[in-house]
Amino acid sequence: RDLPSFPTRRSSDLIDDAVEKFSVVKTMQAIEDANVVVLVLDTRENVSDQDAHLAGYVEEAGRAFVIALNKCDGLSAAQRQSAKDSLARMLNFVDYAPVHHISALQGTGIKGLLDAVDGAYRAAMIKLPTPKLTRALEAAVARQAPPRGGVSRPKMRYAHQGGSNPPRIIIHGSGLTRVPASYRRYLEHFFRDAFELAGTPLKIEFRQGLNPYEKRRSRR
């Protein structure tokens, strides 16, 4: 009997696959080990799916993040706008990452890039006292209250920091399981602006329960 034939792959293809997988593993390890990740993109080309996947790895790892747009020298206004549009379309999920235009060939923009890296590191490692976080939370709610979920509106009583790198803010109150994702994003942007947390992811967690400090005050 004739045996069915299957397409064979050249050894060079197998080597290329192995090299690519090894490169991905090393990249993931480098992201995990880094304090701040700098993603260097070619301004003259659109952001690729691979670029977006790398940014997704950084986001999942919770690492501080800065984007460098290279080869910016000699670009027309239309080319700069095209690069901006491509960035906004493909990497909108990491809009907290500062974007810096550089030219590795000319050596321009490097100082600003390094300053952004230092700033992102400070933001990732920041320590936020509970009173300041709670006042910021109160200001956020006063500006825009959480939407009603059913018959009542979620109540946010106080906030404290639950960790850093990335900063994690834990909000205590009641009815918090009904807080929509859109309001969580609003709080993320509010805290980010209030404490100048450019370049770092910010995690918001909700916990049900009363403020233990309220009982102490009521006994006085």
Side-chain angles (χ1 to χ4, degrees):
R1 287 175 61 181
D2 293 334
L3 296 176
S5 61
F6 297 95
T8 59
R9 301 185 64 186
R10 295 178 301 175
S11 59
S12 59
D13 292 335
L14 297 176
I15 292 174
D16 289 343
D17 287 348
V19 170
E20 182 177 355
K21 290 179 181 178
F22 179 76
S23 177
V24 169
V25 170
K26 296 299 290 183
T27 299
M28 295 288 289
Q29 290 175 346
I31 291 173
E32 291 288 346
D33 293 339
N35 287 317
V36 181
V37 176
V38 179
L39 178 62
V40 181
L41 302 175
D42 188 336
T43 312
R44 300 171 189 270
E45 298 180 5
N46 289 330
V47 179
S48 67
D49 289 339
Q50 184 177 8
D51 296 329
H53 288 153
L54 282 173
Y57 293 150
V58 179
E59 170 78 4
E60 290 176 9
R63 292 296 176 261
F65 195 25
V66 178
I67 298 173
L69 293 180
N70 191 27
K71 300 182 181 179
C72 288
D73 44 304
L75 288 183
S76 66
Q79 288 175 311
R80 286 180 176 272
Q81 185 60 47
S82 176
K84 183 179 179 180
D85 293 343
S86 178
L87 199 66
R89 183 175 62 255
M90 297 293 291
L91 301 183
N92 61 332
F93 59 94
V94 288
D95 58 356
Y96 55 83
V99 178
H100 280 265
H101 294 79
I102 67 170
S103 171
L105 181 64
Q106 302 294 333
T108 57
I110 303 301
K111 183 182 183 304
L113 174 63
L114 295 179
D115 288 343
V117 170
D118 289 340
Y121 177 78
R122 288 193 299 271
M125 300 298 182
I126 195 170
K127 302 298 182 185
L128 300 169
T130 296
K132 285 187 176 182
L133 278 174
T134 299
R135 286 195 294 269
L137 174 64
E138 292 169 349
V141 173
R143 176 186 292 182
Q144 181 180 327
R148 289 182 177 275
V151 296
S152 62
R153 191 185 302 275
K155 294 181 180 179
M156 301 181 180
R157 294 185 171 87
Y158 77 107
H160 76 274
Q161 186 173 0
S164 57
N165 195 30
R168 186 162 54 97
I169 297 175
I170 300 174
I171 297 173
H172 296 256
S174 59
L176 301 185
T177 57
R178 300 192 298 273
V179 176
S182 59
Y183 195 79
R184 183 192 295 269
R185 289 192 296 271
Y186 161 72
L187 290 176
E188 289 176 2
H189 283 93
F190 191 95
F191 283 122
R192 190 182 303 283
D193 292 341
F195 298 106
E196 299 180 353
L197 302 178
T200 181
L202 178 63
K203 306 299 182 182
I204 302 286
E205 294 183 15
F206 297 118
R207 290 187 185 173
Q208 298 280 119
L210 298 175
N211 185 348
Y213 297 104
E214 291 182 354
K215 294 183 179 180
R216 296 181 185 176
R217 286 197 293 265
S218 64
R219 293 173 184 171
R220 296 175 182 174

